[in-house]
Amino acid sequence: MLIILVGLPSVGKTTFSKKLSKELYKIGIDNIVLGSDLIRESFPVWDEKYEEFIKETTYDLIDKALKKYTVIVDDTNYYNSKRRDLINIAKKNKKNYMVIYLYAPLKILLKRNVERGKKIPNEVIIKMFEKFDKPGEKYKWDEPHITIDTTKEINIKEIAKLVKDHDRVHKKNSKILDNNKNNKKIFADVENNKIIMDKVDKITRNVVGEVISQEPSKTKDFAKELVKLRKEFLKEISKKLDNIDNNDFENKIKKEFMQYISKLIN
Ligand code: ADP
């Protein structure tokens, strides 16, 4: 599986990934820690012009390693576009993935940064902190599986167990879905998508109920048509689950559905 770490510089990703790697090995999971610093630090100096190569080569390495081992990605993975790229590498290889988000207050990040000799200027960390795309803030697909406050004690054994259990559930799900040739869904998303669709089902059902109760003069055909539209709407939403916006999700879905059925009402 692919374990994607997310967190600002100095939050403790490298420290955490080394510990997790050892713990996973102890419970029988062969794994490797990879990150763009491996390539970045192989250049004599840092230069923006190397960054594209660094990114591509890191992705290639992850892709190759994932075919044999569990991979822990030790990078800030600051942008959700980066997280999406990594998730797509996992999907392409038909592997499970897990996002682990590590956080700490800015004051602590700066203190740790100074203590380890300011590899990065404090101002850069402040800017990153302010602009940070917190995982799951915007998109459902981006929600972290595990969130860790690195100012508190980290129970690495428990986390390794969660990782193992997550993989086990995935394997079970993929077996069930493998039997269904028509189901092209990506296995790892199944649980999350089901939760979203349950919500959409409930919201649209309520709207249909409201509309029918407000329009008692309408015929049976009107109700039938409404039910048909609701089904169509559910289908449409299920096709674009990857792009669901997490922000104010319930209200947005309600509005979109009202818009969808507005022709019938007016
Ligand atoms: P990152 O990889 O996120 O940049 P590191 O793992 O290199 O962060 O850690 C940055 C500094 O913080 C190091 O000096 C490390 O010893 C310290 N550190 C890491 N994790 C913790 C923690 N949980 N509690 C206190 N200090 C930590």
Side-chain angles (χ1 to χ4, degrees):
M1 70 182 298
L2 184 64
I3 300 166
I4 304 165
L5 300 190
V6 180
L8 291 169
S10 287
V11 77
K13 296 178 301 296
T14 301
T15 311
F16 173 81
S17 50
K18 281 183 186 153
K19 286 186 187 157
L20 181 63
S21 171
K22 292 234 162 74
E23 201 54 46
L24 288 177
Y25 177 75
K26 275 192 207 158
I27 58 172
I29 301 179
D30 278 323
N31 69 90
I32 179 169
V33 181
L34 293 173
S36 57
D37 273 350
L38 290 174
I39 314 292
R40 191 172 289 109
E41 287 168 5
S42 301
F43 282 101
V45 292
W46 181 84
D47 193 314
E48 173 63 37
K49 72 178 177 195
Y50 302 141
E51 280 299 315
E52 190 58 30
F53 175 85
I54 292 167
K55 186 174 130 189
E56 295 299 324
T57 315
T58 309
Y59 284 172
D60 285 351
L61 264 177
I62 293 169
D63 185 69
K64 181 102 180 161
L66 201 51
K67 298 183 189 340
K68 276 191 103 154
Y69 308 114
T70 281
V71 177
I72 304 172
V73 185
D74 175 16
D75 255 323
T76 56
N77 295 316
Y78 182 75
Y79 295 108
N80 62 42
S81 58
K82 190 84 190 294
R83 304 192 289 263
R84 162 154 266 181
D85 284 349
L86 291 167
I87 289 171
N88 283 337
I89 293 177
K91 286 180 176 177
K92 197 188 96 192
N93 283 288
K94 294 205 166 52
K95 300 286 183 195
N96 192 12
Y97 67 90
M98 200 168 190
V99 176
I100 303 184
Y101 170 44
L102 295 101
Y103 73 95
L106 179 61
K107 224 168 71 187
I108 301 282
L109 299 182
L110 299 179
K111 184 169 162 274
R112 287 183 191 163
N113 187 44
V114 172
E115 278 168 4
R116 72 166 172 186
K118 277 201 194 174
K119 223 168 84 175
I120 299 174
N122 267 356
E123 299 71 52
V124 173
I125 298 189
I126 295 171
K127 264 202 189 127
M128 287 177 88
F129 189 91
E130 283 164 356
K131 283 200 198 153
F132 186 46
D133 242 354
K134 280 202 194 86
E137 206 166 53
K138 211 164 166 214
Y139 301 111
K140 280 264 174 206
W141 63 261
D142 194 31
E143 271 174 5
H145 298 84
I146 300 177
T147 300
I148 298 169
D149 177 348
T150 67
T151 62
K152 300 205 173 112
E153 204 186 321
I154 301 171
N155 187 338
I156 205 79
K157 277 197 163 56
E158 194 187 316
I159 293 165
K161 198 174 165 298
L162 282 175
V163 171
K164 195 169 183 173
D165 286 349
H166 184 73
D167 208 27
R168 217 178 278 144
V169 170
H170 167 253
K171 284 192 177 124
K172 211 168 89 195
N173 273 347
S174 58
K175 255 190 210 142
I176 296 165
L177 290 166
D178 270 344
N179 294 337
N180 181 352
K181 285 198 179 99
N182 294 326
N183 198 334
K184 290 201 178 83
K185 261 195 188 318
I186 303 301
F187 310 140
D189 285 343
V190 167
E191 262 171 274
N192 196 19
N193 289 351
K194 199 170 163 297
I195 295 168
I196 299 174
M197 286 314 293
D198 281 350
K199 280 190 188 163
V200 178
D201 186 82
K202 207 168 144 197
I203 294 164
T204 53
R205 208 178 276 278
N206 285 342
V207 171
V208 168
E210 270 171 40
V211 171
I212 290 179
S213 70
Q214 281 162 11
E215 311 254 348
S217 59
K218 299 276 190 199
T219 60
K220 252 191 182 170
D221 282 349
F222 172 77
K224 258 193 195 163
E225 203 53 37
L226 204 53
V227 169
K228 203 176 123 204
L229 278 182
R230 190 181 87 89
K231 274 194 186 148
E232 277 171 24
F233 181 78
L234 289 180
K235 225 182 204 172
E236 300 263 312
I237 294 292
S238 71
K239 280 186 209 153
K240 53 179 189 183
L241 278 174
D242 267 3
N243 298 317
I244 289 281
D245 188 343
N246 216 1
N247 239 333
D248 202 19
F249 164 76
E250 271 89 356
N251 275 330
K252 276 190 190 140
I253 286 290
K254 190 172 171 183
K255 262 196 201 150
E256 202 176 324
F257 182 55
M258 304 271 272
Q259 182 80 27
Y260 198 81
I261 59 173
S262 62
K263 263 188 276 161
L264 198 64
I265 297 170
N266 299 327

